[in-house]
Amino acid sequence: MTENGVYVYAFIPEGEVLSADAVGVGSPPAPLRLVGEGRVIAVVSDAPPQLRARRRDLMAHQEVLLRLSDSGPVLPMRFGAIAPDEESVRAQLSGSQAELLATLSHLEGAVEINLKALPAQNALAAVIAEEKNVRRLRAAVRRRPDYEANVRLGEAVATALSRRAADAGKKVLHKLTPMARAVVPGPEVHGCALNVSFLVDRSESDTFRATAQRFADAHRERVELRVAGPLPCYSFVSSQNLRTPVAGG
Amino acid sequence: MTTTMYADEVAPCPPRAGTLYDVLELILDRGMVIDVFIRVSLVGIEILKIDARIVVASVDTYLRFAEACNRLDLERDSGSTTIPELLGGGAAKSIGKRKVRKAAESVGDTVRKAVGSGDDEDEDEQEERPKKRRAPARDGASRRRRAEA
């Protein structure tokens, strides 16, 4: 078959079809095909030689999953999963069919929305106005400008920006959690005060985003919120994590 | 369909690209993993950093914050001071070069004004040394000069 193995994008329920021109990773992009006969099938393509996490291939992976999620539940694979051959994909499907089916039914009609809270970008004046400690250190610097005092002032500003973003992140998490089917913390991202993914009914995703946007508008001097989605349900692929509450916030 | 929204900034790239930018860690660190499948090596990955605007805890960053703080009371339209500008260089969005219109006001007025008026993003950031009045505004060439520290 293919010498580089089989790139696996996702598992979907039987009965879904691919559009004839659907393509995936590689250059030129490899045509997609379906593998499996059971109640769950895999979306695959030939793997390109020397696959790496290039921007082009990351986009292709994401694009395939987005298209699939337009037409039904999708269990997304992490980027870069390569099976030795189609036979091993079939073996995997038959071996874990029940579990895959259970997760797919959990994800039916749902999308992932990711929320990141970062320190606000235009908040220096607000920090000075509202943070006593910063005001005090700033006054000290003005009385006697020196290196140490400047470092202390700058550190206080940085700390205040992070804390304000984290506090606002907790608030928005509290507000949005009741609107979601499930919530899980995202991977650690440097500089983010909060990174969290919500499993949301597809029909509710506009309302969800609008709520987040209203919060962002009202708290722009404390936090910069970034909302991404609707996304494939990357963070909800295990039926175990569907009820995991967010730790701490 | 999938878009990324920003709290207060226009997205720098088309929505799809913006989406990748913000969800990279999900594509790489979430999603189903099957033990018997090989995972592509992420060594040498072209990392697309989440953002150039992260707050970095270093003395250098602190000094820039402090400088910006000190500048606030000498400049009128300090509400436009953004972290990208503080961190300097490429990530900073270009801002207008209009000259500051009025002389500096008192500290209290300036801060109150900056807080109240939000972001007047077109206003230039004029360089100013602590404790000195503004020299006649020049055409922005010196605006990122660091305070002597």
Side-chain angles (χ1 to χ4, degrees):
Chain A
M1 196 174 310
T2 165
E3 55 192 297
N4 300 307
V6 174
Y7 188 100
V8 186
Y9 298 85
F11 298 122
I12 58 177
E14 63 169 338
E16 298 282 332
V17 287
L18 296 172
S19 63
D21 60 346
V23 292
V25 296
S27 177
L32 301 185
R33 60 183 190 272
L34 300 175
V35 170
E37 308 80 22
R39 296 177 60 197
V40 182
I41 48 182
V43 181
V44 307
S45 73
D46 288 351
Q50 280 138 33
L51 179 70
R52 288 191 301 124
R54 293 185 188 84
R55 180 179 187 83
R56 178 192 71 218
D57 291 331
L58 290 163
M59 301 274 290
H61 181 91
Q62 166 91 329
E63 192 66 34
V64 167
L65 295 174
L66 282 169
R67 284 188 177 229
L68 289 170
S69 24
D70 284 345
S71 53
V74 175
L75 250 180
M77 296 292 297
R78 194 172 293 186
F79 177 86
I82 297 174
D85 49 36
E86 288 196 5
E87 216 31 66
S88 56
V89 178
R90 285 203 179 81
Q92 186 61 41
L93 284 169
S94 56
S96 52
Q97 178 166 287
E99 192 189 328
L100 296 176
L101 274 175
T103 311
L104 277 170
S105 75
H106 274 301
L107 300 181
E108 177 98 50
V111 293
E112 174 167 343
I113 295 184
N114 178 261
L115 175 80
K116 291 184 176 61
L118 298 106
Q121 299 299 306
N122 295 308
L124 201 53
V127 166
I128 294 174
E130 294 165 24
E131 301 288 334
K132 240 185 236 165
N133 191 37
V134 171
R135 268 208 310 280
R136 185 175 58 74
L137 290 169
R138 180 160 154 277
V141 168
R142 294 182 70 239
R143 272 198 307 278
R144 183 182 303 198
D146 71 8
Y147 180 85
E148 293 295 328
N150 270 306
V151 171
R152 276 197 299 276
L153 170 59
E155 184 177 14
V157 171
T159 306
L161 284 170
S162 301
R163 178 175 40 73
R164 288 158 65 91
D167 289 350
K170 265 183 214 159
K171 264 194 209 164
V172 73
L173 180 61
H174 188 69
K175 195 176 180 72
L176 293 175
T177 296
M179 302 173 70
R181 285 195 205 174
V183 185
V184 296
E188 185 98 353
V189 173
H190 188 60
C192 272
L194 177 79
N195 180 19
V196 64
S197 280
F198 301 87
L199 187 68
V200 178
D201 285 349
R202 182 179 287 277
S203 58
E204 292 294 313
S205 69
D206 286 347
T207 313
F208 188 92
R209 289 184 55 114
T211 305
Q213 181 64 63
R214 272 199 304 277
F215 187 95
D217 291 343
H219 296 79
R220 60 175 63 244
E221 292 199 323
R222 302 190 149 260
V223 69
E224 177 189 347
L225 291 182
R226 293 180 162 211
V227 182
L231 301 165
C233 302
Y234 291 110
S235 304
F236 301 93
V237 292
S238 150
S239 45
Q240 279 91 54
N241 73 12
L242 284 174
R243 291 294 151 217
T244 307
V246 168
Chain B
M1 54 190 303
T2 301
T3 54
T4 302
M5 68 186 187
Y6 293 79
D8 60 0
E9 298 241 281
V10 178
C13 355
R16 286 280 182 184
T19 297
L20 179 62
Y21 194 64
D22 273 349
V23 299
L24 184 64
E25 88 282 1
L26 299 178
I27 301 175
L28 291 173
D29 288 344
R30 293 294 186 261
M32 180 163 265
V33 175
I34 308 271
D35 292 343
V36 296
F37 294 177
I38 305 157
R39 183 93 208 289
V40 65
S41 165
L42 297 181
V43 177
I45 175 185
E46 298 168 26
I47 285 286
L48 312 161
K49 294 231 169 74
I50 168 72
D51 210 339
R53 297 185 290 168
I54 48 180
V55 175
V56 184
S58 71
V59 168
D60 195 49
T61 319
Y62 296 159
L63 290 175
R64 288 167 192 242
F65 278 136
E67 181 200 351
C69 262
N70 293 333
R71 232 169 20 176
L72 264 187
D73 57 356
L74 296 164
E75 293 184 11
R76 285 186 17 74
D77 297 284
S78 38
S80 69
T81 305
T82 62
I83 289 170
E85 286 163 31
L86 303 185
L87 295 178
K93 67 178 171 245
S94 66
I95 54 175
K97 299 282 190 227
R98 265 190 292 143
K99 291 175 181 177
V100 175
R101 286 164 297 196
K102 293 177 201 161
E105 297 173 22
S106 75
V107 174
D109 282 352
T110 306
V111 172
R112 223 172 297 126
K113 197 149 188 157
V115 173
S117 68
D119 16 315
D120 181 359
E121 307 235 323
D122 284 331
E123 210 58 57
D124 200 358
E125 296 285 324
Q126 294 290 329
E127 172 64 20
E128 189 64 46
R129 288 159 204 256
K131 300 252 171 203
K132 282 189 185 170
R133 299 296 290 182
R134 185 187 309 285
R138 288 171 309 245
D139 265 321
S142 65
R143 56 184 248 278
R144 294 245 165 70
R145 196 148 27 88
R146 301 268 305 275
E148 56 283 77

